[in-house]
Each structure stands twice: as structure tokens, then as C-alpha cells.
Amino acid sequence: CSGVAGVTVRVDGEDAGSTDEEGQLELQAGSGPCRIGLDGIPPCLLPGGASEFVAHLGATESDTVTLEVATLIWVYWVPPDEPEEPDPDWEEEDVPPDEDGTVWVCTNGDQVPDEARPINGILRCPGA
């Protein structure tokens, strides 16, 4: 798995940079506890729902802080478009079939259209 790119990282209130395309950022060596803050990722996706935490750097030769980030998904149903009136010149086999709508999955709530409707069920992700 890769990390989240573009997250702004603060160390003790000072800007330390942003995570790269792999979600990593190398911090300057320090020692002892420091307060790390994250901007650009919703706190609800972070452990404990907190965007700030204390890390004890310098305790080992190779300090790495790894955070598990949740991924929200939206599963919704979009009803079919209003049926068109069949052209009177169409043959029986040319008439478009009735549609039952479409189920969609996305990871960005901004992509959910206004006409979308929630659905109930269980989403299984084997191997995830």
C-alpha cells in the first residue's frame, strides 16, 4: 500500500513540508517528544480521529512514524434516465430495453450526483 500524497506536516507548530507521492516525508533528526500535526486529510480518517499526535523521535537509530489511514467509500444507486418515447418507425428489436438504474462506488463524496439514492446491503472486499 502507498500513503497519502500532499498532506502538510507540522512539527511543534512549524511547517515541515508535505508528503510525497508515496505519502512519505523525511523529517529533520530530533530527539525526544515532538508534536506532529497533519493538514490536508480529514481527522475522521486518522487513528483516534485526531490530526495531532506526539511522537518520540530519536529513541532508535531509524525512527519511522506510520499511521493507518481509513478510506471512506460511497456506494449508491442512480435511477435510470427518463424513458424516451419510442420512435413510431422503430422495429420491435430497435426499442431500447428498460433499465433498472446503476450501482456506483467512489471514494470522493463530491462525485456522488444529486439524483443518487443510498442503498442497503453488505459490501464484501475479499483480500482487502
Side-chain angles (χ1 to χ4, degrees):
C1 280
S2 63
V4 179
V7 175
T8 302
V9 179
R10 290 175 279 104
V11 177
D12 291 329
E14 298 293 322
D15 185 14
S18 296
T19 57
D20 62 19
E21 62 277 348
E22 294 180 9
Q24 299 178 1
L25 174 66
E26 189 171 328
L27 300 174
Q28 296 298 317
S31 61
C34 64
R35 183 166 299 283
I36 297 179
L38 305 173
D39 294 319
I41 188 165
C44 64
L45 302 180
L46 296 168
S51 61
E52 280 198 8
F53 57 95
V54 175
H56 297 272
L57 301 178
T60 65
E61 224 175 89
S62 140
D63 288 327
T64 301
V65 177
T66 302
L67 297 175
E68 293 288 326
V69 178
T71 301
L72 297 178
I73 61 170
W74 284 259
V75 180
Y76 56 93
W77 173 78
V78 175
D81 292 332
E82 293 294 320
E84 294 180 22
E85 288 296 321
D87 187 326
D89 295 333
W90 282 356
E91 297 293 325
E92 182 71 28
E93 62 272 359
D94 293 334
V95 176
D98 289 338
E99 295 182 25
D100 293 327
T102 309
V103 174
W104 294 84
V105 177
C106 69
T107 59
N108 182 341
D110 294 337
Q111 295 175 341
V112 178
D114 292 336
E115 67 272 13
R117 300 290 178 259
I119 57 175
N120 291 324
I122 297 173
L123 179 64
R124 298 189 192 282
C125 301

